[in-house]
Amino acid sequence: MNYQKLKGTADLLPNETVKWQHIEEKALNLLKKYRFEEIRTPLFEQLELFARGVGETSDIVTKEMYDFFDKGNRHIALRPEGTAGVVRSFVENKLYGPEFQKPTKLFYIGPMFRYERPQSGRQRQFHQLGVEVFGSKNPSTDVETMLLAMDLFRQYGIDDLTLVINSLGSSSSRQDYRTALIDYLEPYFDQLSQDSKERLYKNPLRVLDSKDRKDKEIVKDAPSILDYLDDESQKHFEMVKNMLEDLSIPYVIDTNMVRGLDYYNDTIFEIITTNPKFGANATICAGGRYDGLVEEVGGPETSAFGFGFGLERLILLLDHMNYSFPDTNPLDAYIVTIGEKANSEANKLAFHLRQQGQSVEREFMNRKPAKQFKTADKMKAAYVFILGDNEIEQGIVQVKNLQSGVQSEVALSDVYSEFERTINKLESDLKREEE
Ligand code: ATP
Ligand code: MG
């Protein structure tokens, strides 16, 4: 029997996981500085939560859900995105309670599942990192969170980034805009794509978001949502823009940007890269304000702001930029063994070196010394320790500095008790000899 991974899934082999670890470590450090804390929610939830949370008319819910009935006949879905589960958990665990610091600043990282046609940068199991801030209506929250998103990408040296913003206003002002938009689009009905025809009355804003070329042309002259904002939303948007300008953060306003998820209000944003890898303008991060969702999911009225991005696409971008991933686990010592006695002495040597915090590899395959040295070279070991019958009899070990090529004898007992001091002494003795 030949087993193969399922379509749209990927094995991350060690040459890839080192990249993931590096990216995650950098991201986690930055999130800590912005004082975000991690939340881990289940990979599957009641299907209904996503229908509610993501929006009944979104592509995710209508076409891409990985759903099934479990043995108890519950309708379940693998999570297609992170926000719905975090909001459910926020409500269920009453994180809005008075004992918690406000706003609540959470991040998540992990696999998401969407039943899509796999292609480069599009998988059925992929990974997202996202943040959610609960409890602050302050436009500073919008700005700080967008800034965090920009910072996350900048720390990998990605600088061809554009911050695109828009405001969707309040749900009541959006009602007026909806009507105006339908009035504008109706005369073009026959020319609209099938998807847009279906959405026109259910959720006309999504027509603005269409990727169809003809649709794009039609919506170019559509009325602008910004002309329909009520006073409060207008003020909020002004403040966001002023704060961005205060920080000298360039941004572009795109009044046709509405985002795929249905739950947003007021500020929404995307970060776009002009890197040719992704065509002209590709979104690498998106998010916005969603003040109604916590209530929708059964909690108290709670402002919220968040964003998410895909890690596979970030890695594609970094690979394309020839980003240099640092060696995060340099090898301090490789132990070359010659003979049977060395085999068990090497256990002891490796153990003692690791106890002292060194990163150590040893020979297991009993190969010829030349082969072992080659391996040590390949692994870029700082030192090679050579153990043979003679050495063990005399209680010593040969230590070779691979960079200088200098080899010396050291007492095993010294290495076992004080590796670092022994090595330092060795190096300074050698230096003195040279002078
Ligand atoms: P797209 O237009 O590419 O389908 P989307 O609008 O569905 O993206 P979101 O729902 O906003 O994307 O998800 C946020 C991010 O998650 C995307 O920008 C992308 O990086 C990543 N993402 C979404 N779907 C996939 C997928 N199937 N495979 C890999 N990454 C994905
Ligand atoms: Mg999609």
Side-chain angles (χ1 to χ4, degrees):
M1 189 69 180
N2 259 331
Y3 294 108
Q4 287 181 329
K5 62 183 179 299
L6 290 173
K7 214 169 142 181
T9 65
D11 294 317
L12 296 175
L13 303 181
N15 65 333
E16 288 291 316
T17 51
V18 290
K19 297 181 188 172
W20 286 73
Q21 287 168 359
H22 170 73
I23 286 172
E24 287 166 12
E25 189 186 318
K26 268 183 116 68
L28 261 50
N29 283 337
L30 190 67
L31 286 160
K32 270 190 194 152
K33 288 198 184 129
Y34 275 81
R35 308 301 296 177
F36 279 76
E37 295 177 299
E38 186 178 9
I39 183 165
R40 300 188 190 189
T41 65
L43 297 196
F44 55 88
E45 303 261 2
Q46 244 175 295
L47 173 107
E48 178 57 26
L49 173 70
F50 300 117
R52 264 287 160 101
V54 182
E56 310 271 1
T57 59
S58 63
D59 279 353
I60 295 179
V61 169
T62 54
K63 302 179 189 157
E64 300 168 358
M65 210 71 114
Y66 241 108
D67 63 319
F68 59 97
F69 288 89
D70 75 0
K71 294 193 200 323
N73 214 29
R74 296 172 195 89
H75 202 176
I76 281 171
L78 302 185
R79 64 182 188 191
E81 53 95 56
T83 301
V86 172
V87 170
R88 196 261 318 131
S89 177
F90 177 82
V91 172
E92 188 172 341
N93 295 290
K94 298 194 172 58
L95 297 187
Y96 47 78
E99 67 271 38
F100 296 105
Q101 169 81 26
K102 284 182 192 55
T104 313
K105 293 161 70 170
L106 301 171
F107 77 87
Y108 59 83
I109 179 166
M112 306 293 162
F113 306 85
R114 295 185 194 177
Y115 199 83
E116 300 197 69
R117 204 166 60 77
Q119 49 187 287
S120 166
R122 193 174 294 286
Q123 293 171 192
R124 289 181 174 172
Q125 175 174 338
F126 63 101
H127 299 77
Q128 279 187 349
L129 189 159
V131 314
E132 318 291 353
V133 182
F134 295 105
S136 165
K137 178 86 204 181
N138 188 337
S140 291
T141 288
D142 309 29
V143 172
E144 184 186 86
T145 313
M146 292 192 283
L147 195 61
L148 164 61
M150 294 289 276
D151 258 5
L152 271 167
F153 292 104
R154 275 204 217 105
Q155 66 171 349
Y156 306 111
I158 306 171
D159 42 24
D160 57 356
L161 300 174
T162 310
L163 175 63
V164 184
I165 62 171
N166 190 21
S167 173
L168 295 179
S170 65
S171 62
S172 63
S173 67
R174 205 151 59 240
Q175 230 23 54
D176 294 339
Y177 177 64
R178 238 180 91 102
T179 313
L181 188 59
I182 292 175
D183 287 347
Y184 169 82
L185 289 172
E186 261 175 341
Y188 299 101
F189 187 83
D190 292 332
Q191 301 166 51
L192 289 174
S193 69
Q194 194 51 39
D195 272 349
S196 291
K197 278 183 181 137
E198 280 164 26
R199 283 178 178 143
L200 181 58
Y201 297 101
K202 273 197 228 152
N203 192 350
L205 269 72
R206 293 294 316 283
V207 178
L208 298 175
D209 202 28
S210 170
K211 282 164 191 158
D212 181 87
R213 236 193 41 226
K214 184 79 194 152
D215 287 353
K216 277 187 169 180
E217 200 130 309
I218 294 169
V219 302
K220 245 197 340 235
D221 297 316
S224 162
I225 193 162
L226 296 182
D227 294 331
Y228 289 79
L229 300 185
D230 57 29
D231 288 348
E232 203 181 324
S233 290
Q234 211 159 0
K235 196 171 143 223
H236 188 95
F237 197 48
E238 280 307 312
M239 286 175 78
V240 167
K241 289 189 293 183
N242 290 340
M243 287 172 183
L244 287 173
E245 279 154 31
D246 250 7
L247 287 162
S248 306
I249 297 173
Y251 64 86
V252 175
I253 298 174
D254 177 357
T255 57
N256 280 349
M257 179 176 77
V258 297
R259 297 295 311 133
L261 312 181
D262 292 346
Y263 50 59
Y264 289 113
N265 66 279
D266 287 310
T267 318
I268 56 169
F269 77 100
E270 291 189 355
I271 296 174
I272 284 175
T273 166
T274 47
N275 192 296
K277 172 78 190 167
F278 293 113
N281 287 312
T283 305
I284 56 168
C285 177
R289 182 165 277 287
Y290 53 96
D291 296 335
L293 187 60
V294 173
E295 233 181 331
E296 184 73 28
V297 172
E301 192 183 330
T302 306
S303 302
F305 194 98
F307 67 76
F309 64 89
L311 290 163
E312 280 80 3
R313 299 219 188 142
L314 171 59
I315 287 176
L316 273 178
L317 187 60
L318 294 180
D319 282 345
H320 188 74
M321 287 164 48
N322 284 322
Y323 182 84
S324 103
F325 289 91
D327 179 3
T328 48
N329 186 17
L331 182 59
D332 298 312
Y334 190 92
I335 304 169
V336 167
T337 67
I338 306 163
E340 211 24 64
K341 277 189 200 138
N343 185 36
S344 56
E345 188 68 31
N347 282 342
K348 231 161 123 188
L349 181 53
F351 174 77
H352 282 286
L353 289 173
R354 288 181 185 135
Q355 287 285 303
Q356 295 174 66
Q358 305 297 315
S359 151
V360 182
E361 188 52 283
R362 53 153 291 174
E363 173 68 8
F364 285 104
M365 310 312 290
N366 233 340
R367 296 170 304 167
K368 298 223 164 68
K371 284 250 161 83
Q372 299 187 40
F373 270 101
K374 219 176 219 166
T375 303
D377 265 333
K378 213 169 132 194
M379 291 183 173
K380 300 201 182 81
Y383 292 95
V384 173
F385 284 65
I386 307 149
L387 279 175
D389 288 347
N390 280 343
E391 280 79 12
I392 292 165
E393 238 157 66
Q394 297 171 47
I396 57 159
V397 59
Q398 307 284 341
V399 181
K400 183 174 181 181
N401 179 325
L402 276 194
Q403 196 144 51
S404 66
V406 177
Q407 186 169 321
S408 340
E409 267 177 32
V410 190
L412 269 171
S413 58
D414 287 350
V415 178
Y416 287 177
S417 55
E418 291 179 274
F419 168 75
E420 215 149 335
R421 233 191 69 186
T422 311
I423 287 289
N424 286 342
K425 186 167 174 302
L426 199 71
E427 298 284 350
S428 58
D429 284 354
L430 282 170
K431 217 178 232 159
R432 215 166 309 127
E433 261 170 51
E434 263 169 43
E435 282 160 12

